Amino acid sequence: MYGSLAIVGYGLSAIGPGIGVGLIFAAYVSGVARQPEARGILQPIAILGFALAEALAIFGIALAFVFAGTPPQ
Amino acid sequence: MSSLLAAGEGTGFEAPDPIETFWQPLWGGNSQFALTRPMVMAVFSVVLLSVWLLLSTRKMALVPGKAQFVTESVYGMVRNGLGRDILGSKDFLRFVPLLFTMFMLILTNNLFGIIPPIQYPTMSRFGFPLALALIVFVVYHVVGIRSMGLGGYFRHMVPAGLPWLIVPLIFFLELLTYFVTRPVTLALRLFGNMFAGHILLVLCVVGGEHLLFGDTGIAVKGTGVLVFLGGFVMTLFEGFVQFLQAYVFTLLTALYIAGSLATDEH
């Protein structure tokens, strides 16, 4: 069995954005729960924060493929 | 054999290779100038969108029909939710065509990823999102330089009222943000989501097929059914992600343009 260490690195690097995205949506949910009429204002902000936090994970997956190397023959 | 996904020994399973999965030339062989499947799909999406938009808006009625209602609600979402709310009611109308085109084009091309006869998201080839991101890159710089002048545009990158000691540092960071981070993340985000989602679906189908029909025991065949079910659920989830990514791309386009338009603060 073989694989690429870069993919393990990507898994580790996805922890941070995962926590970040979780925190963003937790804040969004509690904000809407406190003030349901603010949903329309909060939604684009939450999605924007999600997109910015997710960018780090996307960098990770791109770099994981860049540094994946060649399989053993 | 894939270098990326560990293959089990002795079971004969070959994980889907990312290069073979995505490189699908139709004409011109393996050269750099080959006509590939996503190229044909991108052209097809433009034709499809043109026909749809022309037909659904040909007979405009005060009480809309089904087709007109769909087009109008998507247009209303982009125009009001993304255009007016972010760009401000003064000069958002000139950017609505760009935003609406971006949203519709990306949404259609993304949804190709789960529509059965096609099942290949165009944006999973990096060239397509890169071209769209470059358009946005040019637009927000041109808008910024036009609205504040070349010097004013660079001056507005640094917020006013900072201690003079850290101004060069902030200016350098903002320069990096405007010229490197923004276009790169815009293109990479769309590409990465479509690429990762498509390869996950391919893995679910290929892996499930191997577990069910491959040289495996009876106990393992049950897990094959689970993997297929997982693939089904992931297809629905991909549909959501594809819509969300089209929305996010348009939202960020609007935000970047709004940042270049803002002359009052800073």
Side-chain angles (χ1 to χ4, degrees):
Chain A
M1 186 169 169
Y2 67 88
S4 171
L5 205 57
I7 294 295
V8 179
Y10 171 59
L12 291 175
S13 77
I15 295 172
I19 294 172
V21 169
L23 286 176
I24 287 158
F25 279 105
Y28 170 62
V29 166
S30 67
V32 172
R34 282 172 193 219
Q35 225 168 341
E37 68 271 17
R39 184 193 204 114
I41 307 166
L42 290 179
Q43 199 165 25
I45 300 173
I47 290 179
L48 176 70
F50 154 75
L52 295 181
E54 187 207 34
L56 297 172
I58 298 298
F59 275 143
I61 201 168
L63 291 178
F65 276 90
V66 168
F67 294 120
T70 50
Q73 297 303 316
Chain B
M1 290 292 269
S2 167
S3 60
L4 304 155
L5 302 156
E9 256 181 275
T11 57
F13 175 66
E14 291 203 16
D17 187 285
I19 295 166
E20 283 166 24
T21 308
F22 288 96
W23 175 244
Q24 301 183 0
L26 297 176
W27 180 83
N30 229 359
S31 70
Q32 289 173 348
F33 298 100
L35 180 77
T36 59
R37 202 171 144 211
M39 289 184 195
V40 177
M41 279 156 43
V43 174
F44 175 63
S45 73
V46 172
V47 174
L48 195 73
L49 274 177
S50 315
V51 170
W52 169 262
L53 289 176
L54 284 176
L55 284 184
S56 62
T57 55
R58 198 178 44 180
K59 282 191 223 120
M60 298 281 268
L62 192 61
V63 181
K66 276 179 197 147
Q68 192 192 338
F69 175 72
V70 171
T71 307
E72 273 184 358
S73 48
V74 175
Y75 179 74
M77 191 197 83
V78 175
R79 180 189 185 275
N80 299 334
L82 291 173
R84 196 179 54 197
D85 289 359
I86 293 173
L87 294 171
S89 54
K90 195 159 66 82
D91 42 14
F92 75 101
L93 266 179
R94 21 181 205 134
F95 299 107
V96 168
L98 174 73
L99 298 179
F100 185 61
T101 311
M102 284 285 182
F103 183 76
M104 291 295 275
L105 190 69
I106 295 170
L107 183 64
T108 314
N109 276 305
N110 283 356
L111 286 179
F112 279 167
I114 56 167
I115 294 174
I118 307 173
Q119 284 184 316
Y120 184 116
T122 317
M123 298 297 165
S124 61
R125 295 296 297 180
F126 187 54
F128 293 93
L130 185 65
L132 294 178
L134 282 179
I135 293 172
V136 176
F137 179 72
V138 170
V139 165
Y140 74 76
H141 281 307
V142 169
V143 166
I145 291 170
R146 266 197 192 165
S147 69
M148 332 176 201
L150 193 63
Y153 182 55
F154 284 104
R155 218 171 297 127
H156 112 285
M157 289 179 186
V158 182
L162 283 179
W164 62 272
L165 211 60
I166 62 166
V167 164
L169 180 68
I170 297 291
F171 181 69
F172 175 70
L173 286 178
E174 288 291 318
L175 217 56
L176 213 62
T177 305
Y178 272 73
F179 285 92
V180 181
T181 319
R182 278 183 174 185
V184 168
T185 50
L186 204 57
L188 263 187
R189 178 180 300 115
L190 186 54
F191 159 76
N193 274 286
M194 293 306 113
F195 178 85
H198 186 62
I199 211 161
L200 192 62
L201 293 186
V202 172
L203 185 67
C204 277
V205 173
V206 173
E209 191 262 345
H210 176 76
L211 287 173
L212 260 183
F213 304 115
D215 186 19
T216 49
I218 188 78
V220 180
K221 289 198 191 300
T223 59
V225 177
L226 282 181
V227 172
F228 265 128
L229 277 179
F232 179 71
V233 174
M234 284 314 293
T235 304
L236 297 180
F237 180 67
E238 273 310 302
F240 170 68
V241 169
Q242 283 158 355
F243 177 81
L244 193 72
Q245 287 307 317
Y247 180 79
V248 162
F249 194 98
T250 321
L251 175 76
L252 286 172
T253 304
L255 276 170
Y256 293 162
I257 294 173
S260 295
L261 277 174
T263 43
D264 40 356
E265 74 258 76
H266 295 318

